[in-house]
Amino acid sequence: MWSIFHDVVAAGDTYVFGADTPRADALAYWFGPGVTPFVAELDSRIVGMYKFMANRRDRGAHIANASFMVARWCAGRGVGRRMGLHCLREAKRAGFRAMQFNFVVSTNLAAVKLWQSLGFAIVGTVPQAFQHATLGYVDVYVMHRALDDVENGLPEQSSGSGT
Amino acid sequence: MWSIFHDVVAAGDTYVFGADTPRADALAYWFGPGVTPFVAELDSRIVGMYKFMANRRDRGAHIANASFMVARWCAGRGVGRRMGLHCLREAKRAGFRAMQFNFVVSTNLAAVKLWQSLGFAIVGTVPQAFQHATLGYVDVYVMHRALDDVENGLPEQSSGSGT
């Protein structure tokens, strides 16, 4: 998990963490209080991980926040999509009414398209909120999806796009 | 500061904190690492407080986040506006490029209007993200303002609306 985390943040194109983020910060991010983490395995090897938690406390605790990372060498194989579907069901099961991403980098087209295909809408655009390693300041999206229609299965579950 | 905080959150109409938020949580919120807090005084009495900090770490640390509370009995006297102007200048002085509010309750019209009059735009609307004490689930705004034009004085500084 640490090597995936480190590779992802070292690229500086999708996550807010700097390339020099200490291992302790990564551990706190994935295993902090209130966090529910999962990993995705392929041939007994960890190829991705996600976590969800309440996006806010108390009067905002009915909306989940989630984060996803896929090993760079395993990109494009549908790991993100499978984790996304799993996450939606687990968050629903945990009682959340909706899921919100606070910080989707607008130039991360693979992520934006994936989340849109799973029913998320862009509900906000923060100008130049991310300092991209090669593109400079780029916009960040807030994305949102209600969980009303998420039950044991999702319509998108069997489409298999990207797998 | 604690009595202002407690009164504001007990109303359940503007802040995400529950009415039973412990004093330690309020202290952490106002005096945590990286937080710059200020109070507003009237006749040597604290009538409001605000704080600003980096909204995100590392690749998102160029945007400030800020929070404001005014004593309920002192509402409508321009305390929020004065603190807002002060905050914009202090955040600019601290080197931030923009300011972002992540959680402005849409039904808090006084706040929305105040921030719009100080140059903030609504850049996002998260559906039903706040459980309002009397209105149920209501939308939450993300608001944003670049700090380019904030120098020693602001155009709005002398308008005095609401004072």
Side-chain angles (χ1 to χ4, degrees):
Chain A
M1 285 179 71
W2 164 246
S3 89
I4 293 174
F5 179 93
H6 181 68
D7 288 353
V8 166
V9 306
D13 54 358
T14 58
Y15 266 81
V16 79
F17 297 99
D20 57 351
T21 299
R23 192 177 172 117
D25 291 15
L27 282 170
Y29 184 68
W30 288 98
F31 299 102
V35 176
T36 302
F38 286 92
V39 295
E41 290 186 342
L42 186 67
D43 300 332
S44 303
R45 191 171 172 186
I46 292 177
V47 293
M49 59 243 201
Y50 84 83
K51 68 181 179 83
F52 69 87
M53 57 194 290
N55 193 48
R56 300 272 167 186
R57 60 185 286 164
D58 303 346
R59 296 187 174 279
H62 54 291
I63 299 191
N65 171 251
S67 308
F68 299 79
M69 287 188 179
V70 175
R72 293 247 149 185
W73 63 269
C74 208
R77 296 216 217 166
V79 176
R81 166 173 286 267
R82 286 197 190 198
M83 289 198 300
L85 288 164
H86 192 271
C87 180
L88 287 169
R89 286 190 291 269
E90 289 296 324
K92 170 82 173 190
R93 202 155 68 90
F96 290 105
R97 295 169 53 96
M99 184 171 289
Q100 178 178 344
F101 303 142
N102 300 303
F103 208 85
V104 180
V105 176
S106 60
T107 50
N108 186 2
L109 296 182
V112 173
K113 282 181 185 171
L114 171 60
W115 303 132
Q116 285 176 327
S117 82
L118 291 183
F120 285 82
I122 296 171
V123 297
T125 303
V126 186
Q128 302 187 15
F130 181 71
Q131 189 166 14
H132 191 288
T134 57
L135 303 174
Y137 294 109
V138 299
D139 295 350
V140 164
Y141 296 141
V142 179
M143 300 188 75
H144 176 276
R145 188 202 200 284
L147 298 181
D148 317 49
D149 63 334
V150 178
E151 295 300 340
N152 294 322
L154 277 170
E156 299 91 343
Q157 191 176 5
S158 54
S159 78
S161 156
T163 54
Chain B
M1 287 178 71
W2 164 247
S3 88
I4 293 174
F5 179 93
H6 181 68
D7 287 354
V8 166
V9 305
D13 54 358
T14 58
Y15 266 81
V16 79
F17 297 99
D20 57 352
T21 299
R23 192 177 173 118
D25 290 16
L27 282 170
Y29 184 68
W30 288 98
F31 299 102
V35 175
T36 302
F38 285 93
V39 295
E41 290 186 342
L42 186 67
D43 300 332
S44 302
R45 192 173 171 184
I46 292 177
V47 293
M49 59 242 202
Y50 83 82
K51 69 181 178 83
F52 68 87
M53 57 193 290
N55 193 49
R56 299 272 166 188
R57 61 184 286 164
D58 303 345
R59 297 189 173 279
H62 53 290
I63 299 191
N65 170 252
S67 307
F68 300 78
M69 287 188 178
V70 175
R72 293 246 148 185
W73 63 270
C74 209
R77 296 214 217 168
V79 175
R81 167 172 286 268
R82 287 196 189 200
M83 290 198 299
L85 289 164
H86 192 271
C87 179
L88 287 169
R89 285 191 292 269
E90 290 295 324
K92 169 83 173 190
R93 202 154 67 90
F96 290 105
R97 296 169 54 96
M99 184 171 289
Q100 177 178 344
F101 303 142
N102 301 303
F103 208 86
V104 181
V105 176
S106 60
T107 50
N108 186 2
L109 297 182
V112 174
K113 283 180 184 172
L114 171 60
W115 302 131
Q116 285 176 326
S117 80
L118 291 182
F120 286 82
I122 295 171
V123 297
T125 303
V126 186
Q128 303 187 14
F130 181 71
Q131 189 166 13
H132 191 289
T134 57
L135 302 174
Y137 293 109
V138 299
D139 295 350
V140 163
Y141 295 141
V142 179
M143 301 188 75
H144 176 275
R145 187 201 200 285
L147 299 180
D148 317 50
D149 64 335
V150 178
E151 297 299 341
N152 294 322
L154 277 170
E156 299 90 342
Q157 191 176 7
S158 56
S159 76
S161 156
T163 54

